[in-house]
Amino acid sequence: MSSNSSFSELALCTELQKTLQKLGYNKPTPIQLKAIPLVLQGDDLLAEAQTGTGKTASFALPIIEKLSKAEPSPDYRQIRALVLAPTRELAIQVADNTLEYGRSLNMRVMSVYGGVRLDNQVRKLKRGADIVVATPGRLLDLLQQKVINLKHLEFLVLDEADRMLDLGFIEPIKKIMEFSAEPRQTLLFSATADESIEILAEFYLNNPKKVKVNPRNSTASQVKQYAYAVDNSDKADVLSYLIKEGKWGQALIFVRTKKRVDEVTDYLKKEGIDAASIHGDKTQRERIRMLGEFTSGELQILVATDVAARGLDIESLPHVVNYDLPNVPEAYVHRIGRTGRAGERGEAISLVAPAEREFLKRIEGLIKQKIKLRPVPSLENGKLVESNASVKPPKKKRSKQKKNLDRYPPQEKYESTLSVKAVRPSLLKK
Ligand code: AMP
């Protein structure tokens, strides 16, 4: 099927076609083109696709199509499809999208995740659901308490399986598999594919068809990537400078630790920037509220640990910042997958302290792409201007010129950068 194919060429019923029209989905994305026919014909699937490629619809649409063909009993609905997701945010997002896709076909969709009261979820589950989207820990709890069962399961989706393994969910997944009815159709989606994913697939998939929409571990092509050489102690200042002088709209800022998330958020607020934070110590209610405000565009800057990396679905997030580079290079791919989504353009900016240069090298190795380390852009005529100067390894001695220079780029250890700016300012102009 060509990239110009329309949804009408996929064997989806009229109700689903109408829903897609209403949602403004004019044509299927590449993963949808590849995956939907295979799921419809009953194959197990091993799909390598990043977040932002439209992968949720690529499994949800054919599952809904197939479930809708068999009439569910009106009074009580057994769980016939289960989607396992690594984070609560992703579970909520996938459930919301699936509910939207299946509304016209009267699909009952529920999400199940930890951090909220169990009894409410139990009560809702008792009313029955066709499709459940769950994080592994809470689902296992419910299964072990015999509140729900998976005896009628026809479809099982492992969404963002690589992330679930990263987060140590292998044991709960194994146990959930033991609770799950067979035969069933199993679909495994992963942004990155490595040996552990292959092993998982070998174990739980039956003769799967493999599909892939992006080169292995590559980043979305519409995302421009910048890396700025910054000292750790200057990062907050540089970030505030970039947001203000770059006249940014919304941005998602990734910071390594919860404590640092709070510090950065406080700093930005003091600078008069509309910022809020989200991390694992926040209550589920706070997290949902912040995500809601950010998704609706009410909140400008969201500062987060990696916990937010998976579940956030904003169609045109213009900036993602790696305030700290992740030490696991795959996390970089997941993080910057938050921008440039569904065909939009985006910028991923990394603030790289001297100690993080090693991480940058590893990231470059993974994505097979060089991300040039540059000085922080300078301010010229009210606009930020990117420099093409390279940043050399930190020198021990300070140069004399340092004292007279602008505060950017940060001064501590990047004399080489500063000298370029001082001696040849024309280099910094476009
Ligand atoms: P996902 O990769 O599932 O997180 O989807 C990323 C975004 O793309 C979501 O906001 C979807 O609503 C949107 N999307 C999915 N499929 C399509 C499509 N065929 N056309 C336009 N937008 C889509």
Side-chain angles (χ1 to χ4, degrees), residues 211-259:
V211 297
K212 177 168 160 176
V213 289
N214 258 321
R216 196 167 270 227
N217 292 329
S218 76
T219 49
S221 59
Q222 64 272 45
V223 179
K224 274 192 168 177
Q225 298 171 70
Y226 298 96
Y228 300 138
V230 179
D231 267 353
N232 196 28
S233 55
D234 288 321
K235 282 187 174 182
D237 201 14
V238 170
L239 177 62
S240 144
Y241 164 80
L242 291 172
I243 294 172
K244 283 185 179 172
E245 305 300 351
K247 300 179 182 62
W248 285 9
Q250 281 194 297
L252 178 59
I253 319 291
F254 286 101
V255 176
R256 191 172 301 134
T257 64
K258 297 175 217 171
K259 187 162 167 270

Side-chain angles (χ1 to χ4, degrees), residues 44-47 156 158 177 184-189 197-210:
D44 276 9
L45 195 69
L46 174 55
L156 198 154
L158 296 163
M177 290 295 187
R184 57 161 192 268
Q185 209 175 330
T186 308
L187 318 173
L188 188 157
F189 283 76
I197 292 293
E198 302 276 341
I199 294 171
L200 195 66
E202 216 165 280
F203 239 85
Y204 295 118
L205 302 185
N206 187 9
N207 211 3
K209 291 276 184 332
K210 294 189 181 176

